[in-house]
C-alpha cells in the first residue's frame, strides 16, 4: 500500500527545496558568485542571515527579516545565504547554527554577530544603531570605505605614501600589472594571517626604497586574497603570504627569497638590472664621430699644412 505523506510535510519539503526568499523580496539572495562584490567590496552596512531552509527558527524569522529589509531599503542592505546550497560561505564565516545573523560594517573581513531580537522592529533598531556607529567612525577617521579596507589601504590613508605599495584589485590588476612594461613583485595576503602581518612593514619599507632606486621601473603591489578571490584563484594561491614576480610577456614566477627589506630590495634590483635596456652602441658611435669632426674642423688649416711641411 502506497503511503501518502501528509500535506503539511509535502509543503514543507517543497518550500525547503525552493528556498525561503524570492527575487521579489527586498532581501538580497547572496551566493559565492556575488558575495564578494555585493558585500565585501561594498561601502554599505550589511545585515546577513545565514540560514537553512529546513530550520524551523529560520522559517519563523523569514517574515520578520523580509519586513526589516523593506523598512531598511535604501538605508541598510539586508541579505540572506542558504547554507544548504552554499556551504562554503557558511564555512568561511564559521556558521555553527541557524539562523546566524552577522553585521558587516566598516571592516567587512571581521563581521560582528548580531545579538538582538528576532522581530522586524528589533532588527531595524539594531541596523540603525550600527549605521549610526559606522557614520561616527567615518567622521572621526576610524571607519574605512568599502570592503573594510586592507592593512595596506589603511597604511596609505594614514601615511599618504600611495606610491609605495600599490593596492591591487580585480578591477585594476590587468591594467596596472599585466599591461605594464615595468617589473612587479606582488604579494597575495590575508588580513588575518600572522606571517602577512610580519611581512607588512618590510614590504612597505622595501617598496619605498625600490621605487627610489629603480625610478619606478620595479613596483611592489599587494592583493587582499580574501576580497579579490578571482585573482587568488587565477594564480593558484594556496597559502599566505605568496609573492609572485610579473614581467611583461612572461609567465609569473614565485619569489623565493627572504622576507626582510634588504632581501626584497636586493631581488628587486637584480630584476631591474636584468631588464635594463642594452646600451645603444650605434648611437654612441655616431656621437663620437660628430665630436671628432667638430674638433678637426676647429683646427686652423695652417696648422695642418705646417704638419705636412707645406706653406699655406
Amino acid at each position: 500500500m502506497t503511503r501518502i505523506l501528509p500535506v503539511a510535510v509535502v509543503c514543507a519539503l517543497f518550500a525547503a527545496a525552493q528556498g525561503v526568499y524570492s527575487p521579489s523580496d527586498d532581501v538580497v539572495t547572496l551566493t559565492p558568485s556575488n558575495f564578494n562584490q555585493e558585500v565585501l567590496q561594498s561601502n554599505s552596512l550589511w545585515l546577513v542571515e545565514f540560514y537553512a531552509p529546513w530550520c524551523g527558527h529560520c522559517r519563523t524569522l523569514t517574515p520578520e527579516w523580509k519586513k526589516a529589509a523593506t523598512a531598511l531599503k535604501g538605508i541598510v542592505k539586508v541579505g540572506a545565504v542558504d547554507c544548504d546550497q552554499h556551504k562554503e560561505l557558511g564555512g568561511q564565516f564559521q556558521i555553527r547554527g541557524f539562523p546566524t545573523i552577522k553585521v558587516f560594517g566598516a571592516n567587512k573581513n571581521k563581521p560582528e554577530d548580531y545579538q538582538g531580537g528576532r522581530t522586524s522592529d528589533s532588527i531595524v533598531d539594531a541596523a540603525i544603531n550600527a549605521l549610526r556607529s559606522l557614520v561616527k567612525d567615518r567622521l572621526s577617521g576610524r571607519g574605512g570605505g568599502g570592503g573594510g579596507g586592507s592593512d595596506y589601504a589603511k597604511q596609505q590613508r594614514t601615511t599618504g605614501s600611495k606610491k609605495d605599495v600599490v593596492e591591487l584589485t580585480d578591477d585594476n590588476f590587468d591594467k596596472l600589472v599585466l599591461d605594464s612594461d615595468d617589473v612587479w613583485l606582488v604579494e597575495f595576503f590575508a588580513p588575518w594571517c600572522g606571517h602577512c602581518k610580519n611581512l607588512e612593514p618590510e614590504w612597505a619599507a622595501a617598496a619605498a626604497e625600490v621605487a627610489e632606486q629603480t625610478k619606478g621601473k620595479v613596483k611592489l603591489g599587494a592583493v587582499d586574497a580574501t576580497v579579490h578571490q578571482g585573482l587568488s584563484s587565477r594564480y593558484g594561491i594556496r597559502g599566505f603570504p605568496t609573492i609572485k614576480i610579473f614581467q611583461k610577456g612572461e609567465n609569473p614566477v614565485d619569489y623565493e627569497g627572504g622576507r626582510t627589506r634588504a632581501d626584497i630590495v636586493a631581488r628587486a634590483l637584480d630584476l631591474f638590472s636584468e631588464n635594463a635596456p642594452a646600451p645603444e652602441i650605434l648611437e654612441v658611435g655616431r656621437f663620437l664621430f660628430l665630436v671628432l669632426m667638430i674638433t678637426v674642423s676647429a683646427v686652423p688649416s695652417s696648422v695642418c699644412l705646417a704638419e705636412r711641411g707645406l706653406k699655406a
Side-chain angles (χ1 to χ4, degrees):
M1 178 178 177
T2 304
R3 298 183 63 183
I4 300 175
L5 291 173
V7 173
V9 175
V10 173
C11 291
L13 291 173
F14 179 78
Q18 296 299 311
V20 295
Y21 299 106
S22 69
S24 62
D25 295 324
D26 291 316
V27 177
V28 180
T29 299
L30 297 169
T31 69
S33 63
N34 70 1
F35 196 92
N36 284 341
Q37 183 173 355
E38 291 284 350
V39 181
L40 299 184
Q41 297 181 41
S42 168
N43 288 320
S44 302
L45 177 74
W46 276 85
L47 271 65
V48 179
E49 175 202 5
F50 294 82
Y51 73 94
W54 46 261
C55 164
H57 293 298
C58 300
R59 302 197 69 79
T60 300
L61 174 63
T62 297
E64 301 299 319
W65 198 245
K66 290 180 180 180
K67 287 180 188 177
T70 300
L72 293 167
K73 188 174 182 178
I75 304 170
V76 173
K77 300 279 190 179
V78 177
V81 176
D82 182 342
C83 289
D84 260 12
Q85 292 188 36
H86 310 300
K87 292 181 174 63
E88 58 270 46
L89 282 177
Q92 181 177 342
F93 295 103
Q94 300 179 340
I95 306 303
R96 298 288 181 265
F98 305 114
T100 292
I101 299 171
K102 287 189 176 285
V103 181
F104 291 80
N107 188 345
K108 296 293 194 296
N109 293 310
K110 293 183 178 179
E112 298 177 359
D113 289 331
Y114 170 82
Q115 304 286 0
R118 300 298 173 89
T119 66
S120 57
D121 285 343
S122 298
I123 296 164
V124 168
D125 287 344
I128 296 302
N129 288 335
L131 184 61
R132 186 181 295 112
S133 177
L134 175 62
V135 172
K136 286 183 178 179
D137 283 347
R138 288 180 179 175
L139 283 173
S140 65
R142 293 194 301 270
S150 69
D151 289 338
Y152 289 111
K154 291 174 184 174
Q155 180 189 50
Q156 289 172 1
R157 284 195 294 270
T158 56
T159 66
S161 57
K162 294 182 179 180
K163 65 180 181 179
D164 297 341
V165 176
V166 182
E167 189 172 13
L168 299 168
T169 68
D170 288 322
D171 294 331
N172 68 12
F173 191 90
D174 287 7
K175 181 178 180 180
L176 292 183
V177 179
L178 301 187
D179 296 341
S180 172
D181 291 326
D182 300 327
V183 179
W184 281 82
L185 278 72
V186 178
E187 177 203 2
F188 294 81
F189 72 95
W192 44 259
C193 164
H195 293 300
C196 301
K197 292 177 181 178
N198 291 336
L199 174 62
E200 181 188 349
E202 303 294 327
W203 195 248
E209 187 170 343
V210 169
E212 181 179 354
Q213 293 201 32
T214 69
K215 306 302 182 185
K217 293 299 183 182
V218 179
K219 293 181 169 63
L220 272 65
V223 175
D224 184 340
T226 65
V227 174
H228 307 291
Q229 295 182 4
L231 286 173
S232 180
S233 176
R234 188 199 302 186
Y235 295 109
I237 306 303
R238 296 289 180 267
F240 305 114
T242 293
I243 301 172
K244 287 188 175 287
I245 300 169
F246 292 81
Q247 300 180 77
K248 190 167 187 178
E250 300 181 17
N251 291 326
V253 296
D254 289 334
Y255 167 88
E256 297 178 342
R259 301 295 175 87
T260 67
R261 176 199 59 79
D263 292 327
I264 298 163
V265 169
R267 184 70 181 102
L269 294 181
D270 285 343
L271 290 165
F272 177 64
S273 299
E274 293 169 7
N275 287 271
E280 295 288 345
I281 301 299
L282 183 58
E283 291 301 322
V284 173
R286 287 177 180 172
F287 174 75
L288 292 175
F289 176 75
L290 288 173
V291 170
L292 179 60
M293 291 298 294
I294 291 171
T295 302
V296 170
S297 64
V299 177
S301 58
S302 58
V303 173
C304 296
L305 292 172
E307 287 180 352
R308 297 179 184 178
L310 302 173
K311 292 183 180 180

